Amino acid sequence: GTFTRGLAAIRENLPDPTSVKEAALSSITAARESTSRLSANIYREVKGLTSSELEQVMLKATRPDDTPVKGKHVERLVGVTYQVSSRYDLYDSVLRKIWAKSAEKDWRTKIKALYILHRFSADGAPEHQASLKARLRELRRTIDPKRKDKYFNSKQLLSGDTTPENVAFRAFLSRYAHYVLLRAQCFGGAFDEIGRELIGKGGRGGGKSGSKAVKPITSTQLRPEHLEAATMVLKAGVACTMKDGEEDENCAIALERVAADLMALSTAVAKALNKALTEQGGGDADPALIQKWCIFYSEQLFPQTKSMVKKTSPKLDAYGLFLPSRMGTTVSPELIQKGLKGVEQQQDDEEADEDDIVEEKGEITNKATPKKAASSSSAAASPSKQQEKDVNDDTVDEEDEEEVVEEEEVAEEEEEEDEEEEEEEEEDDEDFEYDEEYYDDE
């Protein structure tokens, strides 16, 4: 009786399944509403940071006077990128505000706006770098409804009243604008596309060769597109060297950032080349492309950057701006020579491999000759044994030929697999195109 009463009590206290289901659904709905409200609050906060407050800071930073952009204003503007998740597109409104200031008549407002764009590109949060490049490229294809021309177009960017007093400064502005737009569309941060290590996707698994986690460095950091862009950035950056009559504090802080950029580019390329030339950049790196990078670094990037820093430092010192005395990471002459000889070494290796294949085939062909000679001497004594040996010898020859054919088929299959992997990697990788249509010519 007691046991039965206990079971009845338990049964009475068990919750109704329908009530449990309704309570669970209600909790889920409440959680969704809370999340939606939180997301809405974050969005409103982001919008506030990129509208009224940003507008105020932008107005202060781009005043049409001789006072350069203050560091606290730049830090406040760029700092927004570290406060907001990369899921939110900050740069649409930011770039439109920068463009509005860049299109004004006074050259000092223009160069300050470009300087702010430069700092967003170099010092903005890494998570937003791709967004900045993509948004800037898109805007440069888009018509500004207010000004009836494309955003960041050269005509309006360089428009304004030219006087004998500002003609030299406007010449520097033209060169600096070309550099900033090119740099912001091609590279982010301290040229992280070249300097950082990119880990490829895991292998497909299940194969005999295992997974392939690291791609060749010529498919990630030292890509041909990066070489083309780095060459253009170097040329535009060196052109920003301050000429006589262009001495101005606004020009000086802009030049200081350009010089720092070129030093960062030299360091990024040096790190990538050191990795590639010390057999850490993947075994399938393209030696011809490595050779081009070595030529670019040794004949253009390093000497031109060093020369520019040497010429620029005295002019910047007058404004209390100081560049590092050292260039940072460099590539030793021995490694440069190794990279320059990479194509010749590859050709020698290929020729040596071909010679080895010919020798192996010759050895395989000559294997059966002594056996056939020995079997012919005993043909009269034992015809049946002679026939058996001939069959065995033929079998040996066929087996050797089959081994060679199998080796060749395996080699061809490996080549086809490599080609398929390269095609898939090319489809997976983001296109990094540099269209001359979007770059301003001087």
Side-chain angles (χ1 to χ4, degrees):
T2 303
F3 179 73
T4 304
R5 287 195 300 270
L7 288 177
I10 293 174
R11 190 178 294 109
E12 291 175 357
N13 292 325
L14 285 175
D16 182 29
T18 304
S19 301
V20 173
K21 181 179 179 181
E22 291 176 356
L25 291 175
S26 177
S27 300
I28 293 173
T29 303
R32 288 177 178 174
E33 291 176 355
S34 299
T35 304
S36 300
R37 286 195 298 270
L38 180 61
S39 299
N41 291 335
I42 293 175
Y43 178 76
R44 282 194 293 270
E45 182 180 355
V46 172
K47 189 176 180 181
L49 288 172
T50 57
S51 57
S52 60
E53 185 178 357
L54 188 145
E55 185 73 27
Q56 294 175 5
V57 178
M58 187 76 71
L59 285 172
K60 294 178 181 179
T62 57
R63 289 173 179 169
D65 55 26
D66 295 332
T67 304
V69 181
K70 294 183 178 180
K72 64 179 182 180
H73 293 152
V74 174
E75 292 175 2
R76 184 69 190 98
L77 292 170
V78 176
V80 174
T81 63
Y82 291 89
Q83 299 173 9
V84 180
S85 170
S86 60
R87 294 179 299 172
Y88 299 97
D89 185 6
L90 289 173
Y91 283 115
D92 183 65
S93 60
V94 169
L95 290 176
R96 291 176 189 272
K97 295 180 188 301
I98 291 176
W99 164 239
K101 292 299 179 182
S102 302
E104 293 189 7
K105 298 297 182 181
D106 196 294
W107 76 271
R108 293 167 297 185
T109 298
K110 292 177 180 290
I111 197 170
K112 290 178 181 180
L114 288 169
Y115 177 77
I116 292 172
L117 174 59
H118 191 174
R119 293 296 299 272
F120 269 115
S121 176
D123 301 325
E127 295 80 7
H128 290 278
Q129 290 176 3
S131 175
L132 172 59
K133 293 187 291 184
R135 183 61 62 184
L136 180 57
R137 293 172 188 169
E138 181 181 351
L139 283 176
R140 299 204 72 194
R141 303 185 188 102
T142 306
I143 300 295
D144 180 2
K146 182 177 179 180
R147 297 171 179 82
K148 309 302 180 183
D149 207 339
K150 294 180 179 179
Y151 289 90
F152 294 96
N153 68 86
S154 301
K155 181 180 179 181
Q156 294 183 351
L157 189 61
L158 303 178
S159 64
D161 299 330
T162 301
T163 64
E165 291 78 17
N166 67 19
V167 62
F169 304 133
R170 294 183 68 85
F172 178 85
L173 170 67
S174 175
R175 304 195 302 274
Y176 182 61
H178 176 60
Y179 172 80
V180 171
L181 292 176
L182 182 61
R183 190 247 200 265
Q185 290 178 98
C186 296
F187 297 107
F191 299 87
D192 297 332
E193 293 83 355
I194 298 175
R196 70 186 177 191
E197 182 177 0
L198 298 177
I199 303 299
K201 297 180 180 180
R204 292 161 182 78
K208 296 181 179 180
S209 59
S211 61
K212 185 179 180 181
V214 180
K215 296 181 181 179
I217 196 169
T218 48
S219 298
T220 55
Q221 296 169 253
L222 299 178
R223 297 171 62 177
E225 301 96 319
H226 293 163
L227 176 59
E228 181 182 356
T231 303
M232 293 189 293
V233 167
L234 173 64
K235 181 179 179 181
V238 171
C240 290
T241 302
M242 192 179 291
K243 301 179 181 179
D244 293 338
E246 297 177 350
E247 292 81 3
D248 178 84
E249 194 167 2
N250 284 302
C251 297
I253 64 170
L255 178 59
E256 186 266 340
R257 297 305 304 181
V258 174
D261 268 357
L262 296 187
M263 295 179 72
L265 176 59
S266 177
T267 298
V269 173
K271 288 181 178 179
L273 282 177
N274 284 331
K275 176 182 175 183
L277 296 173
T278 54
E279 299 180 355
Q280 298 177 1
D284 297 330
D286 183 2
L289 186 54
I290 295 295
Q291 184 184 56
K292 292 180 180 179
W293 275 102
C294 288
I295 294 173
F296 168 68
Y297 175 82
S298 60
E299 297 182 5
Q300 299 180 48
L301 178 58
F302 184 80
Q304 291 182 22
T305 300
K306 188 175 181 179
S307 174
M308 179 188 179
V309 171
K310 184 177 180 180
K311 294 178 181 178
T312 300
S313 292
K315 295 184 178 181
L316 296 181
D317 291 348
Y319 299 96
L321 303 172
F322 305 99
L323 295 173
S325 58
R326 294 188 177 184
M327 288 290 293
T329 304
T330 59
V331 185
S332 66
E334 294 78 12
L335 286 180
I336 289 293
Q337 291 300 319
K338 179 181 178 181
L340 294 176
K341 296 179 180 179
V343 177
E344 298 177 359
Q345 183 63 38
Q346 184 190 37
Q347 293 175 351
D348 294 341
D349 293 342
E350 291 176 353
E351 292 177 358
D353 292 340
E354 291 177 358
D355 294 340
D356 292 341
I357 293 174
V358 172
E359 291 178 359
E360 289 177 0
K361 289 183 177 180
E363 292 176 357
I364 292 172
T365 304
N366 296 329
K367 277 184 179 180
T369 303
K371 297 179 181 179
K372 291 181 179 179
S375 60
S376 60
S377 61
S378 58
S382 179
S384 60
K385 291 183 179 180
Q386 173 66 31
Q387 294 176 356
E388 183 178 353
K389 289 181 180 180
D390 291 341
V391 172
N392 292 335
D393 292 339
D394 293 338
T395 303
V396 171
D397 292 340
E398 291 175 359
E399 290 177 354
D400 293 337
E401 292 175 0
E402 287 175 0
E403 290 179 0
V404 174
V405 171
E406 288 177 359
E407 291 176 356
E408 293 178 352
E409 288 177 351
V410 169
E412 292 175 357
E413 290 175 358
E414 290 178 352
E415 291 178 358
E416 292 176 356
E417 290 177 357
D418 292 340
E419 292 176 357
E420 291 176 358
E421 288 181 358
E422 291 176 359
E423 292 175 357
E424 292 175 2
E425 289 172 357
E426 290 175 357
E427 292 175 357
D428 291 339
D429 290 340
E430 294 180 358
D431 294 333
F432 197 80
E433 300 175 352
Y434 307 94
D435 193 338
E436 292 289 348
E437 179 183 353
Y438 310 130
Y439 303 144
D440 293 331
D441 295 330
E442 294 181 17

